[in-house]
Amino acid sequence: MPDPFSNILISEGIVSAEQLAEALQLARSSGKKLHDEVVRLGYAPGDKVMKALAKAFRIKLVDLSTLEVDPSIVGLLPESVARENTIFPLAEEGSSLRVATCDPSDIDTQEKLRFILNREVELALAPREQIVEAINRYYGTSDGESADSMLQEFTDTAIDFTETAVEQAANQSQEETSDAPVVKLVNLIITEAVALRASDIHIEPFEDRVRIRYRIDGRLVERDNPPRRLLGAILSRIKILSKLDIAERRRPQDGRIKLTADGKDYDLRVSVMPTNHGQTVVMRILDKDNIRVGIRQLGLSEGDFRQFKNLIRRPNGIILVTGPTGSGKTTTLYASLNELNRPDTKIITAEDPVEYYLAGINQVEVKHQIGLDFARVIRSMLRQAPNVILVGEMRDTETAQMGIQASLTGHLVFSTLHTNDAPGAITRMIDMGVPAYLVASSVIAVMAQRLVRVNCTKCKQPFQPLDTQIEAAGVTPEMLKGATFMKGRGCAHCQKSGYKGRLGIFELMVMNSKIRELAFQGAPTNEIRRAAVGSGMNVMFNDGVQKVLRGITSFDEVFRVSKRMEE
C-alpha cells in the first residue's frame, strides 16, 4: 500500500509513477530515504520534496538559515545527541520541546529523545544541510573549541611543537594523543572545510606565517594564518594521518586519509611538496556523493541530454570529454558509468589515480614505477572481455592508439583530453600521431565542458546586467523578452558570495559524415567547428548565456570560463 508521501508526490505531479518506482527501488537497495533519492536523482527540486514530506507527516517546514534560536533552548539538547541524530532544538511549547529533523519517519529517534529529555517532543522539518549548519553555528563555540580559539591557544602559549615531539606522539596510542592541541587543530581544519563544502585544503608556508585556504566552488578562499612555528606540527600530524614518512622533507609524497564528518565518510587525497619556505600540503576532499549524480544533474540542455543518453548506449566507439583540470570531466564520466552500471554490463576503468571507488565497476590504478601504464592496462583489460572501458586520460600516442583499437574491436570507450573546445579534440589526436583515418572512424562524439557557479537559491533576486555585458554576450532583443536575470546578493547560506554549487556548460559535437570527412583530411580546427555548428552543435558560450537568461548563473561566471566564438 503506497504511503502518504508517495501519494502526494504523484497526486501533485512532483514526480511521475516511473520516477517514483525507480527512486523507491534505489532507496531500498541503498538503505537511504525516498525523499533523499528523489532529490539526488534530480526528479524534483529539494524545496518541493520537503514541502510534500511536511504535508505527508502533517508537520511544519522551517527555514533554519533565517531562524534565530534562543541559546537557552539550544542548551536543553546535548550537542552529542544533536549531532548523532541530525536534530536541532527550536522552541519550548509548554512542557514539550519542538525539534527540527530531516527524517520525520524515524520513530526510534523520537522515542529516544522523549526518554533522554523526559518530556514530549514535537517535530518540525528542515533540510539536513540546514540542521548541520545550525548545529555548527550554535554548538560550535559552546565548548570553546572553535578554530580561532584553538589558534589563540597556540599563539598565547609557548608550547614547543617540533617534529621530534610530534614523532614521539605518533608512537603513542590514538587515545593518548587525541587531546593534543595539534590534533584538535588539524581535525578542525578538515571538519570546517567539509562543512563549507570545500573541494581542497591548501596549507602553504611563507617566511613569517602559514596560509590556510579552502577551494569552495572552484574559488580559493583564505581562512587562517597560523604562526610559522606551527608548520612542523601541522605537517607531521597530516603525515601521520596519511601514513607518510615524517622524516622525508626533500621529496614530494602522496597519501590518503579516510575520515568521517557529519555522519558521512570522506576520502582525502594528500599531496606534500617541498618549497623554498618549507613543505606545502594540498588535501583534495573526495566526497562520494559528488559522483552519485545522474546525467540529468550535470546541467546539459534538453537537446544535448537526449543526444548524450543515446550516445552512451552505443555498442562501440570513443566518447571524449574535454576541458582543463577542475572542469568536472571525471564527474561527467562517472555519471555516464553509473547510468551504464548494470549486472549485464562489464565495465573496467584505468585511472591515475583511482579517486572514487564505484560499486560494481572494476577499477585499475596506473602505477608507472612498475611499468603499469595506461597502454599496458588497456592491452590487459581487452582480455577481460569488457563491454565498456574508461581510460583516465589520452596522454600519449600509444594510449590513444590502444583506446582506438579497443573501440574498433567492439568496445565503448570513454576518455578525457585536455583541449579548449570539442572540435579541437580531433586535431589534437591527429597531432599526437594517431592516423587521421583511425580518428575519423572511431570517435563518435566529443563533449567539451566548463563549470560555472550557480546563483544561491536563498538570496538570488532579479538583477539587470550592464548593457555592455548583454552586448558582449550577443543577446538579441528577442532573447531579452523572455529573459529572467538573477544574481545572489550574498547570505549566510552561501558565505556571502551570492553563489552556491556549480553546474556545467557544455558543447556536444556528434560526429557525422561531414565532420568525419574533414577529420580524415586533417582539416584545421576552425573548419571542423564551422561544420559542427552547421550541423546543429550549440557552442559552450551560448549554452552558458542560455543559463544566464534562465537566471541560473551570471554573465560574470560565463565570461570567466569561456569566450564568444570568433566568426
Side-chain angles (χ1 to χ4, degrees), residues 453-469:
R453 292 184 295 170
V454 175
N455 290 325
C456 174
T457 53
K458 299 288 181 188
C459 65
K460 70 177 180 181
Q461 55 192 23
F463 168 77
Q464 184 54 45
L466 298 170
D467 291 343
T468 50
Q469 287 185 317

Side-chain angles (χ1 to χ4, degrees), residues 19-38 40-41:
Q19 290 172 333
L20 178 64
E22 186 182 351
L24 275 167
Q25 187 182 349
L26 284 169
R28 286 191 199 104
S29 61
S30 66
K32 291 192 172 171
K33 298 296 176 182
L34 174 60
H35 57 270
D36 289 333
E37 287 296 343
V38 170
R40 188 181 70 78
L41 290 164

Side-chain angles (χ1 to χ4, degrees), residues 27 49 96 113 116-117 120 145 157 200 207 257 306 317 324 328 345 347 384 386 431 438 441 501:
V49 173
S96 64
L113 270 179
I116 292 170
L117 301 171
E120 273 304 305
E145 293 297 356
T157 56
D200 303 272
E207 197 169 351
I257 300 173
R306 282 198 302 270
T345 305
I347 303 173
Q384 299 272 320
D431 290 345
L438 282 179
S441 58

Side-chain angles (χ1 to χ4, degrees), residues 33-205:
K33 298 296 176 182
L34 174 60
H35 57 270
D36 289 333
E37 287 296 343
V38 170
V39 175
R40 188 181 70 78
L41 290 164
Y43 292 155
D47 54 346
K48 273 193 176 181
V49 173
M50 293 307 275
K51 281 176 188 169
L53 195 61
K55 191 173 176 181
F57 283 90
R58 296 177 183 172
I59 57 176
K60 189 179 177 186
L61 179 63
V62 294
D63 184 356
L64 290 181
S65 62
T66 57
L67 200 68
E68 287 298 322
V69 180
D70 186 340
S72 64
I73 300 294
V74 177
L76 295 173
L77 188 69
E79 181 185 356
S80 58
V81 177
R83 287 193 186 279
E84 183 185 342
N85 300 288
T86 320
I87 53 175
F88 187 75
L90 299 174
E92 270 189 300
E93 295 179 1
S95 62
S96 64
L97 182 68
R98 184 178 283 271
V99 173
T101 178
C102 59
D103 181 14
S105 64
D106 188 355
I107 305 296
D108 292 343
T109 298
Q110 294 169 37
E111 290 302 321
K112 186 166 68 174
L113 270 179
R114 288 189 182 99
F115 177 76
I116 292 170
L117 301 171
N118 195 23
R119 60 162 76 190
E120 273 304 305
V121 173
E122 285 192 25
L123 295 184
L125 186 66
R128 175 183 287 275
E129 60 270 18
Q130 284 190 17
I131 295 174
V132 171
E133 198 176 299
I135 291 170
N136 290 336
R137 189 163 73 242
Y138 284 93
Y139 288 106
T141 55
S142 61
D143 60 354
E145 293 297 356
S146 70
D148 292 324
S149 66
M150 284 298 305
L151 283 174
Q152 199 63 40
E153 181 183 342
F154 275 120
T155 311
D156 293 346
T157 56
I159 303 171
D160 177 26
F161 280 113
T162 60
E163 300 259 341
T164 315
V166 182
E167 279 182 51
Q168 289 170 354
N171 296 326
Q172 298 172 14
S173 71
Q174 185 66 35
E175 288 77 13
E176 288 175 320
T177 61
S178 61
D179 290 332
V182 68
V183 174
K184 290 182 182 176
L185 178 62
V186 171
N187 288 350
L188 277 164
I189 289 170
I190 295 171
T191 51
E192 184 186 44
V194 166
L196 291 173
R197 301 176 304 103
S199 59
D200 303 272
I201 303 168
H202 295 250
I203 299 172
E204 304 157 314

Side-chain angles (χ1 to χ4, degrees), residues 322-334:
T322 79
T325 305
S327 60
K329 298 188 298 294
T330 303
T331 303
T332 298
L333 291 173
Y334 280 165

Side-chain angles (χ1 to χ4, degrees), residues 231-418:
L231 178 65
I234 294 169
L235 280 173
S236 290
R237 177 61 188 161
I238 291 168
K239 286 180 181 178
I240 289 164
L241 287 171
S242 45
K243 297 178 174 58
L244 297 178
D245 183 356
I246 293 179
E248 180 56 75
R249 300 180 183 89
R250 298 171 302 165
R251 290 195 187 95
Q253 293 189 80
D254 295 307
R256 286 183 99 110
I257 300 173
K258 284 187 184 296
L259 66 95
T260 303
D262 290 332
K264 286 171 69 176
D265 292 326
Y266 292 88
D267 256 359
L268 271 69
R269 207 175 76 215
V270 181
S271 171
V272 183
M273 189 176 74
T275 69
N276 56 337
H277 288 299
Q279 294 169 90
T280 179
V281 178
V282 176
M283 292 184 275
R284 166 69 64 88
I285 301 168
L286 304 173
D287 178 2
K288 293 184 177 70
D289 284 354
N290 290 348
I291 48 97
R292 289 196 183 120
V293 296
I295 297 171
R296 173 65 79 181
Q297 287 98 61
L298 297 174
L300 287 158
S301 65
E302 198 55 44
D304 285 349
F305 170 72
R306 282 198 302 270
Q307 274 195 313
F308 193 68
K309 283 267 284 191
N310 290 334
L311 285 164
I312 65 171
R313 303 278 176 201
R314 296 273 287 269
N316 62 297
I318 292 184
I319 297 174
L320 293 171
V321 180
T322 79
T325 305
S327 60
K329 298 188 298 294
T330 303
T331 303
T332 298
L333 291 173
Y334 280 165
S336 305
L337 293 187
N338 283 334
E339 186 80 14
L340 299 171
N341 190 9
R342 297 284 180 270
D344 61 349
T345 305
K346 170 130 181 168
I347 303 173
I348 307 183
T349 74
E351 301 170 67
D352 182 19
V354 172
E355 290 190 356
Y356 298 98
Y357 298 108
L358 299 169
I361 291 175
N362 303 276
Q363 294 170 275
V364 181
E365 186 154 318
V366 168
K367 291 186 173 68
H368 296 288
Q369 65 270 28
I370 59 167
L372 188 65
D373 52 18
F374 278 116
R376 191 163 179 182
V377 172
I378 298 167
R379 198 175 289 118
S380 300
M381 67 169 61
L382 290 178
R383 300 189 194 111
Q384 299 272 320
N387 303 98
V388 179
I389 291 170
L390 183 143
V391 181
E393 190 184 334
M394 296 280 188
R395 285 187 184 169
D396 50 42
T397 311
E398 192 180 8
T399 306
Q401 287 188 330
M402 286 303 303
I404 283 174
Q405 292 299 332
S407 74
L408 294 174
T409 51
H411 303 87
L412 181 63
V413 179
F414 291 94
S415 191
T416 67
L417 206 59
H418 290 285

